[in-house]
Amino acid sequence: MSSTNRRSFLARGAALAAVPAVAALASGVATEKASASTLPSYAPIPRSALGPAVNAQGFYVGRVERNLYWVTDATYQAAFLTTRDGVVLFDAPPTIGHNLQRAIDKIASENGVSNRVTHIVYSHHHADHLGASSLFGPNVTRIGQIGTKNLLASENDPTRPLPDITYETSYELRVGGERVNLAWRGTNHTPDNTYIHFPDHDTLMLVDINLPRWVPFDSFNLNEDVPGSIAAPEEALAYPWTHFTGGHMGRIGTRDDMALYQQYVNDIIAGVKLALANVDPTPYFAKYGDNEWAAVKEYQAAQVTYASAPVIKKYTGVLAAADVYTASTTFTILESVRLDLGVGSQVHA
């Protein structure tokens, strides 16, 4: 198996593991078996969106800068910092799982440093980024925003032990002569998402906002606060950094990647505002009469097509999966522009 095919195969496997509901449907009540001939086709993934090939164990680990490293299974990412007092791990995605320690062991062996994880920093509370935290046992100091602790306490998931150290707006972590700055700047993807800045390593980690060279996952990454998520790239770019870790997919990013993602979102917003002004609702309500949900469904589908079609055309071949998820992201942004910003709202005369 070539390294490219292996990467693709393992990435698909990781993606399936990350969405257990899909796997359950595939093996449960579904009555029709999918086949390559019946599944839809999508545009090829640009090579610029692909990261390095994973190894036979299903992971890749590489240096970001100096003693800061990143590890990926081509679908999820984590990072770790080696220090004279041990290793600080940033997130623990379950799809990477035990490969986190294997990646740390590899780097520690090559560099003659400790492989003992002493701290885990939580980016936010979601299980797909923290579900392997419990693998590192109870004698690890876990750090997260106060909202992360509160949310984890309510979810009561033993795979994600509560943070031992919390902060409200900012915290400087100092371990083994290294420093990392953590900051909460308001709700975006979740109410507790943390900006993780490595000032001595020229790196920013901000999870589930920008997936470098990919469009967001379904429905604008399922962001809980759409305006806050739209604003997050500007906040990120205000930090000094060269390297970016977004928590997903197989490559780390650059400032140009962040600017490209920001332009993509701005193009969707511009298209949505045009759609709200130019798509006439009359035909839809005339056809469906008393069935208002049918009228609204088809009217909004027309708005989404109007707004998303030019964006899909512009970014296909530039951002991976532009033809897969742009429409669902457009719908989410449409609703936010309409409801949060009041664009297109009309007062009855």
Side-chain angles (χ1 to χ4, degrees):
M1 183 181 289
S2 72
S3 61
T4 300
N5 286 341
R6 181 185 294 277
R7 172 175 58 202
S8 300
F9 174 77
L10 289 168
R12 286 195 295 270
L16 185 62
V19 191
V22 174
L25 284 172
S27 61
V29 298
T31 56
E32 276 192 43
K33 185 176 180 181
S35 70
S37 61
T38 61
L39 292 171
S41 297
Y42 295 102
I45 297 301
R47 293 195 63 83
S48 61
L50 297 175
V54 299
N55 62 21
Q57 292 174 297
F59 72 91
Y60 169 85
V61 61
R63 188 190 306 272
V64 180
E65 189 159 315
R66 297 198 304 107
N67 55 328
L68 176 65
Y69 299 87
W70 71 293
V71 56
T72 183
D73 59 5
T75 301
Y76 279 81
Q77 298 176 0
F80 61 91
L81 189 63
T82 61
T83 82
R84 63 178 181 237
D85 294 336
V87 176
V88 182
L89 177 63
F90 299 86
D91 276 359
T95 66
I96 305 178
H98 290 280
N99 279 338
L100 291 165
Q101 187 64 62
R102 293 185 185 107
I104 293 167
D105 291 346
K106 179 178 186 296
I107 296 301
S109 175
E110 291 173 356
N111 295 296
V113 297
S114 172
N115 68 343
R116 184 173 67 91
V117 175
T118 60
H119 296 73
I120 302 177
V121 173
Y122 289 175
S123 67
H124 64 298
H125 71 285
H126 280 168
D128 63 329
H129 292 278
L130 302 184
S133 176
S134 61
L135 296 180
F136 296 89
N139 299 319
V140 172
T141 300
R142 294 170 170 86
I143 303 161
Q145 203 265 343
I146 185 64
T148 302
K149 183 173 184 176
N150 293 338
L151 287 162
L152 289 175
S154 70
E155 291 163 3
N156 194 29
D157 177 6
T159 71
R160 294 173 284 163
L162 300 185
D164 305 288
I165 296 173
T166 60
Y167 73 95
E168 290 191 7
T169 57
S170 63
Y171 180 79
E172 184 176 68
L173 173 64
R174 287 189 174 268
V175 178
E178 305 292 342
R179 61 178 178 144
V180 183
N181 293 325
L182 311 179
W184 178 77
R185 296 181 175 273
T187 303
N188 46 64
H189 175 62
T190 59
D192 61 319
N193 210 11
T194 288
Y195 290 73
I196 304 170
H197 185 226
F198 303 85
D200 301 320
H201 299 82
D202 204 14
T203 299
L204 180 72
M205 182 173 182
L206 178 62
V207 173
D208 282 338
I209 295 296
N210 172 22
L211 320 180
R213 293 287 167 165
W214 288 76
V215 302
F217 176 67
D218 199 3
S219 304
F220 197 34
N221 257 357
L222 303 177
N223 291 319
E224 294 188 38
D225 183 336
V226 173
S229 299
I230 291 170
E234 194 68 34
E235 294 270 7
L237 287 167
Y239 282 89
W241 55 269
T242 299
H243 317 291
F244 177 77
T245 302
H248 280 280
M249 314 317 285
R251 67 188 286 273
I252 56 175
T254 66
R255 295 185 75 87
D256 286 345
D257 293 332
M258 185 67 77
L260 178 63
Y261 164 75
Q262 193 175 30
Q263 185 59 56
Y264 167 80
V265 173
N266 286 339
D267 286 346
I268 291 176
I269 294 170
V272 160
K273 289 179 178 179
L274 287 173
L276 286 167
N278 294 325
V279 178
D280 181 8
T282 306
Y284 307 97
F285 288 89
K287 176 174 176 60
Y288 294 108
D290 290 337
N291 191 345
E292 291 212 17
W293 277 166
V296 169
K297 178 179 183 293
E298 296 304 325
Y299 173 46
Q300 290 195 311
Q303 291 176 310
V304 166
T305 299
Y306 184 102
S308 66
V311 179
I312 293 170
K313 182 178 180 180
K314 178 178 177 179
Y315 288 95
T316 295
V318 178
L319 291 178
D323 57 333
V324 179
Y325 280 141
T326 295
S328 70
T329 283
T330 299
F331 174 76
T332 299
I333 291 177
L334 168 74
E335 287 299 272
S336 177
V337 167
R338 188 174 71 84
L339 300 175
D340 296 325
L341 304 183
V343 176
S345 178
Q346 299 178 1
V347 178
H348 188 274

